[in-house]
């Protein structure tokens, strides 16, 4: 990425220079590398996933300067189309090693694993997870406008405080609580010299979603959706990347979507002064009309009780969703999948993860819904 | 409820006697009172919500003894139909007072409020929330089999420990962390005397969902769905109640669904030894084919940063979903709804609450999706 | 029907007296007998279908006088709910004998046949067609306002001319081309004496759909739909009946829906002067949001070439749809269904019949789409 | 097309040589010209539509020889993806002049007209029909295997007989009843000399759909669908073309889809001996899972009574669908569209055309359903 003629970036900072400018009303195409900048290969060894250098991620295309955009405006972005690059129709899903990134179920699946997916038009299948085939709900895992300097400082402050004060009691020691600014392997567009040093030291990592959107990993930001972004800096400075051919709600194995390079066709427009008009805090969006349509789901429930200790947590949707996913994985293992395969599948297939009940003290109830049509066999209880 | 010829119950215990028995393959109808046993009235004052006696809830119909059911079996329950009782076509949604029950956003909306809904076939509208009308996704908020004695003891133990050790840092002092066993107002079917005393002292409250299902408040357990329940005691002892004409994911205002009395048409069957065969922990289900079908949603995002203090939480989906809901409420207020109206609407309309990203340290990303077609005006940003 | 306290009617005429009046804005329930007035029984013999007296059909509930309705207005009718009567949860589908009614494929299936359906909440299955179960898309086969006298005379004139001049060349001699006015077994509400004689001689049969709607047999007029009817006479005089638990597009076996008695919950309103404002000829409607949702269909094509003679017809969608249905029936016979069973199934299950191409001289292309999920086995080619 | 290195063809004949061969299991991309071979231009004059040379159509890509395919096999074709060619993202919809092609409503709209569509990812809009925007359901209008010589002779015979014996009484003198073999402008792949002469004289025109599929113009053969074709000749000889960005059921204005050039990604496989095994006559297909999803439709009914003469036709779905379309056009004109615009819109937008009732003598009832979300204004009656 750093060797491109028009380099992208892999950190958030208002002072990363825009690479192009567009006008409201314009339609244009962006191409993106996969989020690891090509570290993961189309082969059968998970060693590249195990050894991935996370200081490199996420490599983003942009920033795009939108003429006329001012702080307080809403940037309206239509994802007109999105897809793989011709000749590069494959993707990967990984389980990160507990020591290097981890994931939602890292205490259950601490070792690196990988599935390679063949992309065949709207469908995908994997030689590493036989017996499933599904249509992708392709989307950018990461998209958003540059933060203002003030907002960036808020991010850095609150995330540093979290690292200093510690997380919830169920949090294992590794992986870390947050990814704080790290100049190592920072790519900051055309910045060089002392300006590069300054920005690299301040710039936020791209891992978490934040007020501006960013790495939301929302599978429904797919083909045809319209997203309303708050603008914080002049020109909006829109960036994106981390294209997913498909993903389940939660993207649970962390490198859990079907990660790929690809293109996005965009249309942009502005709503002047829209942030105040609509009391906007985070982005808002309208999903598109061509999400894959399934009619039969098998749904697993989870409650906020720890699976190892039996400890009761208070309305903890994180724990509940973990239990729901573990229940689904245990079930799928009865149909011939390994635990890792089931974990990768829940991460990457178009599964729905819902907060079903969040008020019935002390248990939150979360559900994970798997479309049964993605399997080549009947997976209902009989 | 306690005055009925065939009394129901409002606590969970394996020793509550069954009221009827059915055979696998049978089709039958159950009628249920609303979950508060008639405490809330069809009028414009929220005083009954404010003063509700929660020791009475949830009044359940059952237990139903299924002939041949043994611990370790799966009880297959089809919800063939569900609806309001003729002549009683109305429901209520309440915000509980912070001092008496509270709810998901109790720090923002501490006072009792109430909306009455007119049920008109598949549709509903409320004189207290003008400008919206939608089709219900009617379901029993609460359904499940009686726990074994061992499981009951586990529940009591872990919930008591939670009350003793305390909840997460963001938990306000009231409402309480859990609803522990409480003999006051217990209804235990036909039990009397010392047996009543013993069971009332041990029996679990019905508020939380647990391993057996119970008060899951899953909106998708609607008309036509098939549920697979683990059986813990001979005869399964199936009970249900808390019928919701409609509910949004999370049922956020606690008394948040459109609560009503009604009937449920059921079909039951058994999968012998199914619990082990399918590694079942919690119930599994297959939603029905007639959920209301919407195509356009407006979706709000939330991240796990506290709205009052700006404190960063670690992958806390509870906080993220709260922020998503608050963002939606702030937005809807720009279209003429009061905060209370918007809160009640998110609780009761068929909104989708999703865990979109749960691995992007340190922010979970949750979304709440509102079907735009329920409004009589255009609520998209323009 | 004629013995009811409030008799209905089985002919169309503006002078049939209204049985009740309602106001715009009213919500009310109508109960209807099955369209044959109880001639078909829940047993295994098709003799009642063979011997059905068609001079009796369709028995309708109404007319309902809507206060304020004037010719030229639009009557807005919401079907709020619709269902079977409690205790009467069964229906029938029949193939009429060629000599007594016939049907779409009467040259292929000339003998009477019958399937009885058990209604189980939203689902149905038949002991006469094992291996299928589906959710109904329940609707009134027949609904509409009374014609004006002028319109009635037009109907009678054009239908008589058809009988006199003959039909298309592919039309077999029996069944007849049209059902002309027939006083035998006419039920005309409370009319008696010479007025009864006059009206019975003029009144149109209820078989065909016409400008006012009437016996359209549109499966999508289901729960939650809103219909806009042209008003021709003072008070609109709305009538309805012929309730179908389910039906496939075309209702091809003539008595092809799952016919039942039942109730309909209605809401009515008026758009004054709407007929001219919206250039309305026939009724317009908006389907409801709870039609059964299927995602996988198997679709059969047909072209307008006669199956017996190989004769080419010109863009004849009737012939094309017949060929598509015959292709589907031949296919289903390979999966163990008899031809009659497949015919009855296409008539009654929620299949989609589409005019796919109507301009590609000389062949129209029609398709019939069957949801694969209604079968208990895999019916895809393998 | 005739100047291409690998020429395609614009007639059907078993002896047109294959241009490539593939193996069962192969995935490959086909590119297609628009059906008129570039005669229609992206401008505002309908003269090119008026003057189109129909002896040129349809220009097809193929035939593709599938190794191992034998008569009696089923060729399984997956449409993995389909889209416009980069840099050529536009399409056209035309009304053919009555004197040169005509169309479904040629008596109402006898003059040539044209709409140009801008393709923007999944969406399209037209400067010639302001106020509408929709997602395409892109598909090949024409796809099928070469006929056997015997089948070809049947086609020619029956179509010639139709021309000789005449069509239905409502058929105007022009356009013609069928397009008989015509050597003028025939393109037959690499054939030359006397073999070209022979084949050109015998080869069937591509206009009508027939037993092999061909120009079915089925909008649901979209992205992700699987089609089962009967094989008549060794190698199957699959051809396709006439790509439509979008089309309404019926493609009523004849050049009624949004016609474009484009690519199709295919996967092919064989079911040996499948034609007899599945009693296959015409192709069968399973639609894909990513058709645009709409939830609100406005539906217009039509019956088989002639709009000019009031003459009653017998269960004539052609006439009924014409009346339904005319009713829709009259309605849309009340919302500011011209008749031509409404006609073009019904042809090209994703509208559903259904045979709702086909047995209620003497009127067939057809419906046309328009998704209301494609309009930028409310088009419901109010």
């Amino acid at each position: 990425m750093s060797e491109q003629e028009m380099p992208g970036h892999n950190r958030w900072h208002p002072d990363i220079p825009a690479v192009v400018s567009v006008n409201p009303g314009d339609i244009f195409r962006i191409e993106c590398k996969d989020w690891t900048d090509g570290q993961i290969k189309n082969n059968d060894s998970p060693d590249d996933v195990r050894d991935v250098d996370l200081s490199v991620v996420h490599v983003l295309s942009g920033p795009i300067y939108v003429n006329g955009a001012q702080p307080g405006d809403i940037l309206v972005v239509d994802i007109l189309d999105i897809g793989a690059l011709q000749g590069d129709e494959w993707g990967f899903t990984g389980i990160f090693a507990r020591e290097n990134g981890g994931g939602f179920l890292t205490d259950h699946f601490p070792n690196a694993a990988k599935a390679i997916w063949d992309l065949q038009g709207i469908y995908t299948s994997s030689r590493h997870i036989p017996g499933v085939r599904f249509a992708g709900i392709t989307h950018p895992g990461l998209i958003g406008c540059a933060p203002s300097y003030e907002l960036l400082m808020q991010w850095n402050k609150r995330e540093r405080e979290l690292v200093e004060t510690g997380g919830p009691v169920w949090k294992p020691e590794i992986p870390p609580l947050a990814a704080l600014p790290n100049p190592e392997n920072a790519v900051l567009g055309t910045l060089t010299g002392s300006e590069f040093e300054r920005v690299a030291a301040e710039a936020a990592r791209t891992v978490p979603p934040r007020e501006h959107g960013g790495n939301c990993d929302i599978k429904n930001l797919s083909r045809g959706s319209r997203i309303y972004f708050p603008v914080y800096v002049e020109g909006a400075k829109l960036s994106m990347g981390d294209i997913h051919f498909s993903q389940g709600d939660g993207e649970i194995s962390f490198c859990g979507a079907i990660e790929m390079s690809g293109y996005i066709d965009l249309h942009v427009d502005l709503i002047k002064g829209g942030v105040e008009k609509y009391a906007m805090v985070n982005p808002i969006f309208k999903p598109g009309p061509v999400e894959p349509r399934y009619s039969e789901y098998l749904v697993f429930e989870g409650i906020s009780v720890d699976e190892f200790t039996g400890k009761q947590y208070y309305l903890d949707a994180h724990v509940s969703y973990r239990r729901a996913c573990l229940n689904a994985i245990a079930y799928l293992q009865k149909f011939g999948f390994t635990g890792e395969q089931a974990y990768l599948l829940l991460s990457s297939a178009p599964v729905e993860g819902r907060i079903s009940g969040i008020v019935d003290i002390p248990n939150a109830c979360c559900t994970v819904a798997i479309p049964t049509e993605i399997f080549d066999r009947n997976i209902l209880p009989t």
Side-chain angles (χ1 to χ4, degrees), chain A:
Chain A
M1 168 65 82
S2 59
E3 295 157 14
Q4 288 183 174
E5 203 178 333
M6 285 208 297
H9 59 112
N10 61 7
R11 300 291 188 273
W12 288 113
H13 196 289
D15 296 338
I16 299 172
V19 288
V20 289
S21 71
V22 297
N23 289 315
D26 279 358
I27 291 180
F28 51 96
R29 173 168 290 201
I30 297 293
E31 293 188 349
C32 301
K33 300 198 69 173
D34 88 87
W35 77 299
T36 70
D37 204 9
Q39 296 185 61
I40 311 301
K41 306 299 177 193
N42 185 348
N43 61 33
D44 301 331
S45 164
D47 289 358
D48 47 11
V49 165
R50 183 193 62 199
D51 302 333
V52 68
D53 184 345
L54 290 172
S55 68
V56 170
V57 301
H58 300 71
V59 291
L60 303 181
S61 299
I64 299 160
Y65 190 96
V66 180
N67 295 320
Q70 297 290 341
D73 293 346
I74 287 177
L75 179 67
V76 184
V77 176
D78 287 343
I79 298 182
L80 298 172
D81 201 0
I82 181 169
L85 298 176
Q86 233 187 312
D88 202 29
E89 290 97 348
W90 68 281
F92 60 91
T93 302
I95 300 174
F96 279 168
R98 186 186 168 113
E99 289 73 23
N100 189 23
F104 192 49
L105 306 178
T106 201
D107 289 335
H108 297 265
F109 301 101
N111 300 319
K114 184 169 81 175
I116 298 296
W117 300 86
D118 292 319
L119 312 183
Q120 301 168 346
I122 67 164
Y123 293 111
T124 191
S125 61
S126 171
R127 63 186 182 267
H128 299 116
I129 309 177
V132 295
R133 179 176 185 255
F134 50 84
I137 171 169
T138 307
H139 59 277
L142 196 161
I143 183 167
C145 296
S148 67
Y149 193 76
E150 293 66 35
L151 185 56
L152 173 66
M153 290 301 111
Q154 265 184 50
W155 294 354
N156 286 345
K157 178 168 179 290
R158 75 190 182 203
E159 293 176 23
R160 186 167 298 113
E161 285 175 359
L162 172 66
V163 171
E164 288 164 359
T165 58
V169 294
W170 47 258
K171 171 70 184 65
E173 211 164 320
I174 49 173
L177 282 158
L180 299 182
N182 177 8
E184 190 189 350
N185 285 317
V187 180
L188 305 170
T190 53
L191 281 190
T192 55
S194 62
E195 187 66 357
F196 179 96
E197 302 298 328
R198 179 184 67 84
V199 169
E202 292 174 347
R205 300 296 306 277
T206 57
V207 175
R210 297 189 185 93
E211 285 82 349
H212 69 146
N215 190 32
C216 284
D217 289 325
I218 296 173
K219 73 179 192 310
N220 306 91
L221 288 185
S222 189
R223 214 167 259 125
S225 61
R226 169 167 290 184
I227 322 175
Y228 304 88
F229 288 105
V231 173
Y232 306 102
V233 300
E234 204 171 294
K237 289 193 168 176
L238 176 72
S239 296
M240 70 205 67
D242 190 23
I243 296 183
H244 297 161
F245 181 80
S246 176
Q247 184 206 291
D249 277 337
E251 203 198 359
I252 62 173
S253 80
F254 191 24
C255 180
I258 299 180
E259 309 285 346
M260 68 173 192
S261 61
Y263 69 89
I264 313 179
D265 289 334
L266 298 166
H267 173 269
V268 295
D269 213 335
L270 290 174
I271 299 177
K272 298 301 293 180
V275 166
E276 187 180 341
K277 182 177 176 191
Y278 292 112
M280 175 177 274
V281 181
N282 296 67
I284 297 171
F285 69 97
K286 191 163 74 75
V290 295
E291 293 184 359
R293 183 191 55 225
Y294 295 106
S295 59
E296 190 182 86
Y297 287 84
L298 195 59
V299 190
F300 297 84
E301 305 173 0
I303 55 174
S304 42
V305 173
D306 188 86
E307 68 271 23
F308 292 114
T309 63
K311 186 175 156 66
Q312 174 73 58
Y313 288 98
Y314 175 77
L315 297 180
D316 193 318
H318 184 108
V319 176
S320 300
Y321 193 53
R322 188 174 74 223
R323 292 301 304 272
C325 291
L326 287 168
N327 287 343
I329 289 170
Y331 182 88
L332 290 173
Q333 287 182 266
K334 294 289 188 177
F335 289 81
F337 296 99
T338 67
E340 280 78 7
Q341 285 176 326
Y343 186 20
L344 288 163
L345 191 56
L346 285 182
S347 297
S348 56
V351 306
E352 298 274 314
R354 294 207 185 91
I355 293 176
S356 293
I358 194 70
V359 291
D360 299 313
I361 55 171
N363 268 318
C365 178
C366 287
T367 53
V368 62
I370 309 175
T372 61
E373 296 161 57
I374 71 173
F375 298 95
D376 65 3
R377 71 207 85 170
N378 179 12
I379 66 143
L380 295 176
T382 49

